[in-house]
Amino acid sequence: MIDHIIVVIDAQLYPWIKNKFTRYLTEVQERFPVEFSLVTVNGLQSRNPIAPAELREILQDEYSVNGTVGVLFVGQIPYALWDQGVGNNSGQLSVFYEDLDGAFEDTNGDGLYDYHIFGSHEGPEIWVCWMRPPMFGQVFFMNRFLEKTHRYYTGELVTTKKAFVACHEDYDNNFYGPIGVVPVLQDIYGVMNVDTDGEGIDITIADEIWKQLRMNSYEVFDTWQHANSKYQAWDDGGFSSFKVLGLSHGALMTFLYGCHSADFWSAPGTTPFNINIAVSYVFGRSLGQAASGTSWSYGTEYKYMIYEAMRDHQMYLGNAWLTMESFVETASFVEQRYPERDPHTECAGNTLIGNPFLFVNYEATRDLDKNYFFV
Ligand SMILES: [Ca+2]
Ligand SMILES: [Ca+2]
Ligand SMILES: [Ca+2]
């Protein structure tokens, strides 16, 4: 089975990254069971950006013709906004592009969707990943990122097969509790190869976590704490998204729990900046290639499902992400998790950023472009 992937690329960015991006697609196709369709659209820096509703129709057409499994958005691709209706709970809505047989309504006409109608297939049909560098300096960030992917796929940049789990105040027993991540990560990497910080009465200290990340080259960094789009708060101190841009080593994949950690919505009238925490882990100096977080005040609670999918079915990150999204973005999940809430007005706001073509415990391969001879 070859997965059909749509790559939607920002016409304002594409010419500046074309060589390295083409190399990226080639290297992915050589290593993953995927094929790509490229679609170029006007991004947010254009005078005439494509409307999210129009882009969604393109995805729906591709899905019905090609059985598409995922979409990779490259550059400043327009996004739909969602208003959760409680407090300041709005932001970009990945599910708008993931649930292709459902419908979204803006019942009060304020430009933000607020009502989700589930289609005959209840959850998302496809996964969405945003390869979205900070808008300011995006050509530099994108080219550096594409050097990381190249060096990783060709075995120049090697991760240690280890994970690191850090939880602010033991965050609801998220090491070993019902939605805990440590047991499944131990299955993947071995009991001795999952480092933890913040367990029980232990607290998380920003300087210590920073050192831990700089001294290692983890595959997975799993983190639970309060956040906003520009700040990740530990029990003692925290990381600004600017600081994270300068992190060395770190982790290949970072999965964040905290509020707004992957929020790249710039409110009307503000300068688009887009350097949220998740973006910083992916487009900074570190070896990071993928990160996830939320678009508004919410937490990504079911991260262990991503690891289970990668453990049990050798799924690459994009497909593993869909496993979790298919669980939480359904009416039946909301009815069970939040019985007092209306499933039609409840979306989780999970957002995946970076490179969706990553395996756990992956042994990078030589450059397949060249002819190597082995004696
Ligand atoms: Ca609305
Ligand atoms: Ca659906
Ligand atoms: Ca500690």
Side-chain angles (χ1 to χ4, degrees):
M1 272 290 281
I2 303 290
D3 289 353
H4 180 256
I5 313 291
I6 308 165
V7 176
V8 177
I9 189 159
D10 184 340
Q12 280 69 45
L13 175 65
Y14 192 30
W16 302 95
I17 61 165
K18 194 168 183 179
N19 289 346
K20 285 186 174 147
F21 191 73
T22 304
R23 179 181 68 184
Y24 166 76
L25 294 182
T26 304
E27 287 177 343
V28 170
Q29 272 179 302
E30 286 169 347
R31 291 162 176 83
F32 296 78
V34 296
E35 61 181 11
F36 296 109
S37 296
L38 232 70
V39 180
T40 309
V41 300
N42 281 330
L44 290 174
Q45 285 180 314
S46 152
R47 257 197 260 166
N48 191 16
I50 189 170
E54 190 188 335
L55 179 51
R56 186 165 184 261
E57 281 173 23
I58 294 174
L59 303 182
Q60 286 169 326
D61 290 347
E62 286 282 339
Y63 173 73
S64 64
V65 173
N66 293 313
T68 304
V69 305
V71 57
L72 178 61
F73 290 132
V74 185
Q76 311 302 323
I77 303 299
Y79 46 85
L81 288 169
W82 173 258
D83 176 10
Q84 192 89 309
V86 185
N88 178 26
N89 248 353
S90 31
Q92 86 274 349
L93 181 67
S94 290
V95 175
F96 184 75
Y97 296 127
E98 290 180 339
D99 182 9
L100 295 180
D101 73 346
F104 296 86
E105 289 178 1
D106 173 10
T107 60
N108 61 354
D110 66 353
L112 282 71
Y113 291 106
D114 48 57
Y115 198 83
H116 179 193
I117 299 158
F118 296 90
S120 55
H121 176 252
E122 203 188 348
E125 279 65 51
I126 65 171
W127 53 260
V128 161
C129 181
W130 304 83
M131 190 179 281
R132 190 182 186 90
M135 192 184 283
F136 180 76
Q138 65 169 346
V139 173
F140 163 79
F141 283 114
M142 202 53 204
N143 280 313
R144 182 170 69 177
F145 172 79
L146 292 171
E147 274 307 298
K148 287 201 271 189
T149 63
H150 171 66
R151 293 180 60 225
Y152 175 72
Y153 286 139
T154 54
E156 258 185 81
L157 190 161
V158 179
T159 56
T160 311
K161 305 300 181 232
K162 284 182 75 170
F164 180 29
V165 183
C167 298
H168 152 76
E169 282 183 351
D170 208 345
Y171 224 115
D172 306 334
N173 192 21
N174 287 331
F175 291 98
Y176 300 100
I179 56 171
V181 295
V182 170
V184 60
L185 288 171
Q186 286 179 337
D187 288 346
I188 293 171
Y189 296 112
V191 174
M192 302 305 292
N193 293 320
V194 179
D195 296 336
T196 61
D197 196 334
E199 223 178 308
I201 57 162
D202 181 27
I203 62 165
T204 51
I205 297 168
D207 288 350
E208 291 180 5
I209 290 177
W210 191 258
K211 262 184 222 147
Q212 187 84 11
L213 289 169
R214 286 188 55 177
M215 276 166 30
N216 287 280
S217 299
Y218 290 109
E219 276 207 343
V220 170
F221 177 34
D222 186 291
T223 130
W224 304 71
Q225 74 286 294
H226 297 292
N228 62 40
S229 63
K230 297 185 178 69
Y231 193 76
Q232 183 179 16
W234 302 107
D235 295 300
D236 180 358
F239 303 161
S240 71
S241 53
F242 274 113
K243 185 178 167 81
V244 172
L245 277 180
L247 177 68
S248 61
H249 297 91
L252 182 67
M253 299 176 254
T254 296
F255 299 96
L256 298 146
Y257 169 87
C259 298
H260 292 271
S261 45
D263 175 2
F264 46 65
W265 178 35
S266 311
T270 65
T271 311
F273 211 49
N274 300 330
I275 305 185
N276 61 52
I277 295 286
V279 159
S280 299
Y281 277 108
V282 171
F283 289 96
R285 284 177 64 208
S286 79
L287 54 87
Q289 287 187 35
S292 73
T294 60
S295 302
W296 50 78
S297 296
Y298 221 94
T300 308
E301 286 182 325
Y302 292 83
K303 296 186 280 186
Y304 75 90
M305 289 187 167
I306 303 169
Y307 310 140
E308 277 184 348
M310 293 174 108
R311 176 194 67 186
D312 297 341
H313 309 292
Q314 285 83 47
M315 282 186 188
Y316 60 83
L317 176 58
N319 282 345
W321 180 257
L322 181 63
T323 305
M324 180 189 71
E325 288 289 88
S326 298
F327 179 72
V328 299
E329 294 290 5
T330 59
S332 33
F333 167 77
V334 176
E335 281 158 6
Q336 167 255 313
R337 178 70 177 82
Y338 304 107
E340 74 287 1
R341 298 186 193 175
D342 176 0
H344 298 100
T345 61
E346 184 77 19
C347 292
N350 295 321
T351 298
L352 177 64
I353 288 173
N355 177 13
F357 301 106
L358 298 169
F359 285 125
V360 289
N361 272 327
Y362 177 67
E363 295 301 336
T365 45
R366 66 199 161 81
D367 197 339
L368 302 178
D369 281 347
K370 303 187 178 78
N371 282 318
Y372 287 88
F373 295 95
F374 292 98
V375 184

